[in-house]
Amino acid sequence: MPDPTPTRGPCLPPELAIIIPTFNEAGNVAEIARRIGVSLEGIRWEILFVDDDSPDGTAERVRDLARQDPRIRLLRRVGRRGLSSACIEGMLATTAPYLAVIDADLQHDETLLPRMLERLKSEELDIVVGSRYVSGGSVGDWNQRRQAMSRLASRMAQRLIHADLADPMSGFFLLRAPILADCVGDLSGVGYKILLDIFASSPRPLKFLEMPYGFRQRERGESKLDNAVLWEYLLMLLQKLIGPRIPVRFIAFSLIGGSGVLVHLAVLWLLNRLLGTSFLIGQSVAALVAMTTNFFLNNVLTYRDMRLRGRQLIWGWFSFVLACSIGAIANVGIATYLFEGDSGWVLSALAGILVGAVWNYAVTAVYTWRGKAG
Ligand code: GDD
Ligand code: MN
C-alpha cells in the first residue's frame, strides 16, 4: 500500500529555507525564484525575500510572486538597511531545519543548492559554503581593485576566524538552523559579512566544506557594496577583537570622536596661528567645526543604516552640538574634580574624556538619531 502521507507540496513544512536579501532587485526576484524552483525540484523549500523597503518596488514584485506560490514569502523592513541583519532576520523567520543564503542578482549559482544540501547531510557538516576561491570557482569579471580588496579582506578574515576558509566573504552558503541559533546572540549584524560573523561567533569550530562555483556577472540592477562597506568590515573586525560587550556603534563613535580632535587642532591652528584671531574665538570655532564634522561622519558611518536626511539634518545637527557641549562641560568638570583630588593629569583627563564620550554617545543615540539605535 502506498504511504498516505504526502511527501511533497505546501501542506508540509519546508525542509530548506532560502533567504534572499534584496535592495532594489525588482528586475531579478522573479527570475531567481523561478530558477530556485527548478533547481530544488523534489525538495520542500521556501523562499524568504528580506527587502529593506526598496524604492524600486521590489517588495511589490515579491508580493505578486507570493500570491501565486505560497512557498514564497516576503519580510519587509522599513527604515532599516543592512545585508547582514537582513540575512539574520530572514533566517530567524523560518522554522526550516536547513537554511541557505543567496544573492538575488543571479550572481551566485543556484544550481549548486541541492548538492550543497546533500553533502551537508551525508557528510554531517555544519555549513557548506559556495566558494569562488577553491579550485573550480571563479570571480568572473571583477576589476583588479575589487579583486585585490576582496583578497585582502579574506586574508584579514582568515586570521580572525582561525578557519581555513578560502572564501570567508562569500554571501552564498547553506547551514543547519541550530548552528545559527547557537551564535545568534553574539553576531554583530553590522555590514555585509554575515558568513564571517557566523564563523567568528560560533562557540565551537564549525565543520565546513567549500564547493566551487563561478561568480556570474550581474545582468540587472547594480551592486550596493560601496566604500562604506570597507568601513563596516573594519568595524566588524574590531567588534570581534574587543568583544560583544561594547556596542559597535560606540566604537565607531569613539573613532570618529578621535578624528574630531585632529579637525579641532587643524582649525585652531588655521585661525589662531595663521589668521591671528584670538584663542577664545579660535577655540570656539574649532569646537563647532569639529562637532559638525563629527555629526556628519557619524550620520553616514555610525548611523549609516538610519541616516538623517533633508530637514532632519537640522534638528540632528542642533541636538548633536547641544549634547556634545554638555558632554564637554561634564568632561572638564570630572577631569578637574579628579585632578584636584590628586589623580594625576593623565588619568584625570582620560576619565573626563571617557565620561564625555559615553555621555555624547548615549544622548545622541536617543535624541539625535531618535532612539533608533539599538
Ligand atoms: N535587505 C538588504 N539590505 N539587501 C541588501 C542590502 C541591504 O542593505 N544591500 C545589498 N543587498 C542585497 C542585494 O540586493 C543582493 O541581493 C545581495 O544583497 C548582494 O548585494 P550586491 O550589491 O549584489 O553585492 P555584490 O555582488 O557587490 O557582493 C557580493 O560579493 C561579496 C563578496 O565580496 C555579495 O555576494 C556579497 O554577499 C559578498 O560578500
Ligand atoms: Mn551582486
Side-chain angles (χ1 to χ4, degrees):
M1 217 175 86
D3 185 355
T5 50
T7 53
R8 290 184 47 193
C11 38
L12 275 177
E15 178 179 30
L16 174 64
I18 296 105
I19 317 303
I20 311 184
T22 57
F23 191 75
N24 285 347
E25 303 287 1
N28 289 320
V29 287
E31 182 60 13
I32 183 81
R34 187 191 69 77
R35 291 196 195 177
I36 287 176
V38 172
S39 299
L40 293 182
E41 187 63 52
I43 293 172
R44 287 194 327 269
W45 55 264
E46 74 174 342
I47 294 180
L48 247 147
F49 285 99
V50 187
D51 185 60
D52 284 351
D53 211 16
S54 306
D56 76 343
T58 304
E60 241 347 280
R61 298 285 180 88
V62 172
R63 210 167 278 127
D64 290 342
L65 297 172
R67 288 197 180 108
Q68 290 158 29
D69 188 335
R71 296 172 296 181
I72 297 178
R73 294 170 52 201
L74 168 67
L75 192 78
R76 179 176 164 203
R77 307 195 303 170
V78 176
R80 309 262 310 276
R81 275 300 301 276
L83 179 49
S84 271
S85 61
C87 294
I88 295 168
E89 284 162 39
M91 290 193 273
L92 292 175
T94 174
T95 54
Y98 300 102
L99 311 169
V101 173
I102 189 169
D103 288 354
D105 56 8
L106 312 169
Q107 292 195 277
H108 296 157
D109 184 358
E110 72 291 332
T111 64
L112 201 60
L113 285 168
R115 275 174 288 152
M116 288 165 91
L117 181 62
E118 204 181 284
R119 294 196 62 176
L120 183 91
K121 287 185 189 170
S122 65
E123 296 174 34
E124 290 177 19
L125 302 163
D126 296 320
I127 182 165
V128 176
V129 177
S131 173
R132 297 159 293 182
Y133 298 127
V134 289
S135 135
S138 65
V139 291
D141 65 345
W142 271 4
N143 62 30
Q144 294 280 322
R145 190 174 144 263
R146 175 96 203 235
Q147 289 195 30
M149 243 170 71
S150 175
R151 246 180 320 214
L152 176 74
S154 301
R155 226 168 292 139
M156 283 161 68
Q158 279 153 358
R159 290 176 161 258
L160 183 82
I161 58 177
H162 311 294
D164 204 8
L165 253 186
D167 194 357
M169 302 293 134
S170 177
F172 181 31
F173 53 89
L174 193 155
L175 79 167
R176 291 173 193 274
I179 299 299
L180 179 82
D182 284 348
C183 67
V184 72
D186 292 328
L187 294 175
S188 89
V190 176
Y192 71 117
K193 296 307 174 198
I194 172 67
L195 179 67
L196 184 65
D197 206 354
I198 293 174
F199 268 85
S201 308
S202 171
R204 61 178 173 82
L206 296 177
K207 268 182 80 181
F208 70 93
L209 168 80
E210 286 185 273
M211 291 178 75
Y213 77 96
F215 195 70
R216 299 189 198 122
Q217 201 169 332
R218 188 189 253 277
E219 308 275 337
R220 272 176 298 254
E222 50 195 51
S223 170
K224 281 94 212 169
L225 303 190
D226 53 19
N227 289 332
V229 148
L230 211 61
W231 157 258
E232 289 184 336
Y233 180 59
L234 285 177
L235 279 186
M236 202 200 92
L237 293 182
L238 268 176
Q239 169 91 83
K240 291 293 160 203
L241 290 174
I242 298 175
R245 271 167 207 279
I246 299 182
V248 67
R249 286 192 210 271
F250 181 68
I251 301 172
F253 194 88
S254 306
L255 286 176
I256 291 171
S259 81
V261 175
L262 300 181
V263 172
H264 184 114
L265 291 178
V267 173
L268 182 59
W269 175 82
L270 188 82
L271 290 177
N272 181 247
R273 304 273 99 190
L274 213 63
L275 301 178
T277 60
S278 74
F279 185 81
L280 182 67
I281 289 191
Q283 175 76 354
S284 312
V285 173
L288 197 65
V289 172
M291 285 183 207
T292 303
T293 55
N294 276 8
F295 167 69
F296 283 104
L297 283 174
N298 276 309
N299 194 43
V300 297
L301 295 172
T302 312
Y303 293 99
R304 181 173 149 74
D305 52 341
M306 47 184 81
R307 200 178 317 172
L308 304 175
R309 290 168 207 269
R311 286 180 55 196
Q312 294 174 320
L313 281 172
I314 302 171
W315 157 253
W317 175 81
F318 177 74
S319 62
F320 188 87
V321 168
L322 192 67
C324 293
S325 304
I326 299 173
I329 296 171
N331 174 344
V332 173
I334 299 245
T336 313
Y337 173 78
L338 289 176
F339 182 70
E340 283 168 358
D342 282 337
S343 288
W345 67 277
V346 175
L347 204 67
S348 306
L350 288 179
I353 289 171
L354 184 68
V355 169
V358 171
W359 161 274
N360 289 350
Y361 171 72
V363 172
T364 59
V366 175
Y367 289 102
T368 305
W369 285 278
R370 294 256 170 205
K372 290 180 188 170

